[in-house]
Amino acid sequence: MRYRSIAIEGNIGAGKTTLATKIAEQYGGRLILEEFADNPFLPRFYANPEKHAFPLELFFLAERYHQLNREATADLFQPLTVSDYYIYKSLIFARSNLQEDEYALFSRLFHIMYPNLSKIDLLVYLYLDVAQLQSNIKRRGREYEQKIPDDYLLDIQDKYLDFLKKQQDLRILILDTNKVDFVNNYSDYQKILEIIDADYELGVHRIVL
């Protein structure tokens, strides 16, 4: 793999963790997975978003920052690090979930913390239609996710794509994976690997599989 640091991103249910895990295992790389299960506000947020959005996003930001800061110094000679999130997802979800005054405060805190983190070499965004996302969400069976409305997933998707198209100093690969199954079809997975391992200039590159 030509890149040393890869972040796999996407909407809820896009397959981020699965793909990141497969790549890290195949190349013997260090795997960084978001520790969402430890966030006590997540089930509460889905039950009452207005009440629990701010502590939810603060908890996620603190956990992500601590984890990435710790992993950055864990092994400087590791040939590959793969994560199933990019730190900027904190701002993307906060923009959807928080009130304007809350978001302003959250954004200020984020931009104090962000410069201390290492930059990634490649950001891979897995694009799936909302219907496919909902199918994946139902299949994995997390109870608190089962009533996520389509409008929420669409809003998150729109905010991701809006963020990605504005980035000038990142290599970004948007993969439309609606017609592939990299979990159960090895040839689909190999095709994605070959695409990820290609040489890309800074900016956004879109590929439909």
Side-chain angles (χ1 to χ4, degrees), residues 28-45:
R30 184 165 69 247
L31 178 64
I32 302 176
L33 299 180
E34 183 159 38
E35 298 170 352
F36 64 89
D38 295 331
N39 191 329
F41 298 100
L42 195 53
R44 302 179 207 174
F45 166 75

Side-chain angles (χ1 to χ4, degrees), residues 1-54:
M1 184 67 66
R2 72 181 64 224
Y3 302 107
R4 288 193 59 184
S5 177
I6 301 173
I8 309 295
E9 261 296 357
N11 209 332
I12 302 167
K16 304 178 292 293
T17 301
T18 300
L19 183 59
T21 301
K22 288 171 75 72
I23 294 173
E25 288 177 351
Q26 176 161 340
Y27 288 92
R30 184 165 69 247
L31 178 64
I32 302 176
L33 299 180
E34 183 159 38
E35 298 170 352
F36 64 89
D38 295 331
N39 191 329
F41 298 100
L42 195 53
R44 302 179 207 174
F45 166 75
Y46 284 120
N48 191 339
E50 291 187 9
K51 181 177 180 181
H52 297 289
F54 193 60

Side-chain angles (χ1 to χ4, degrees), residues 135-194:
S135 177
N136 290 348
I137 289 169
K138 286 178 172 55
R139 189 179 303 116
R140 70 186 181 189
R142 295 173 189 157
E143 184 177 351
Y144 55 81
E145 291 181 340
Q146 296 308 304
K147 295 182 180 180
I148 298 177
D150 288 353
D151 288 349
Y152 181 75
L153 294 175
L154 186 59
D155 183 58
I156 293 295
Q157 190 99 284
D158 288 344
K159 284 184 169 56
Y160 262 115
L161 296 175
D162 182 63
F163 164 76
L164 295 174
K165 72 181 183 182
K166 294 176 181 176
Q167 303 312 301
Q168 310 254 327
D169 60 348
L170 275 174
R171 289 182 190 86
I172 298 172
L173 186 56
I174 299 178
L175 297 181
D176 186 325
T177 57
N178 280 287
K179 296 182 179 180
V180 296
D181 181 3
F182 59 81
V183 178
N184 299 303
N185 189 320
Y186 186 72
S187 63
D188 286 346
Y189 168 64
Q190 283 297 114
K191 187 185 303 182
I192 288 177
L193 273 188
E194 291 172 6

Side-chain angles (χ1 to χ4, degrees), residues 187-206:
S187 63
D188 286 346
Y189 168 64
Q190 283 297 114
K191 187 185 303 182
I192 288 177
L193 273 188
E194 291 172 6
I195 292 171
I196 290 176
D197 198 24
D199 188 18
Y200 297 102
E201 300 290 333
L202 295 177
V204 179
H205 308 269
R206 296 176 176 86

Side-chain angles (χ1 to χ4, degrees), residues 31-171:
L31 178 64
I32 302 176
L33 299 180
E34 183 159 38
E35 298 170 352
F36 64 89
D38 295 331
N39 191 329
F41 298 100
L42 195 53
R44 302 179 207 174
F45 166 75
Y46 284 120
N48 191 339
E50 291 187 9
K51 181 177 180 181
H52 297 289
F54 193 60
L56 170 84
E57 298 301 342
L58 282 179
F59 189 97
F60 268 135
L61 177 60
E63 288 296 297
R64 289 166 184 156
Y65 176 81
H66 176 69
Q67 185 181 38
L68 292 175
N69 200 40
R70 181 182 67 239
E71 293 289 344
T73 57
D75 186 357
L76 297 177
F77 300 101
Q78 182 73 35
L80 174 66
T81 299
V82 187
S83 62
D84 69 346
Y85 67 95
Y86 179 53
I87 187 63
Y88 252 91
K89 81 176 298 178
S90 289
L91 277 188
I92 292 167
F93 275 82
R95 197 72 192 89
S96 280
N97 296 334
L98 301 183
Q99 302 297 320
E100 287 296 326
D101 56 344
E102 293 175 333
Y103 178 76
L105 176 59
F106 185 90
S107 178
R108 185 177 178 184
L109 178 60
F110 175 90
H111 285 101
I112 291 172
M113 302 166 72
Y114 175 72
N116 298 319
L117 299 175
S118 299
K119 303 300 184 288
I120 61 172
D121 296 324
L122 179 68
L123 174 61
V124 179
Y125 182 84
L126 304 178
Y127 177 87
L128 276 179
D129 295 335
V130 168
Q132 286 270 56
L133 294 171
Q134 289 285 24
S135 177
N136 290 348
I137 289 169
K138 286 178 172 55
R139 189 179 303 116
R140 70 186 181 189
R142 295 173 189 157
E143 184 177 351
Y144 55 81
E145 291 181 340
Q146 296 308 304
K147 295 182 180 180
I148 298 177
D150 288 353
D151 288 349
Y152 181 75
L153 294 175
L154 186 59
D155 183 58
I156 293 295
Q157 190 99 284
D158 288 344
K159 284 184 169 56
Y160 262 115
L161 296 175
D162 182 63
F163 164 76
L164 295 174
K165 72 181 183 182
K166 294 176 181 176
Q167 303 312 301
Q168 310 254 327
D169 60 348
L170 275 174
R171 289 182 190 86

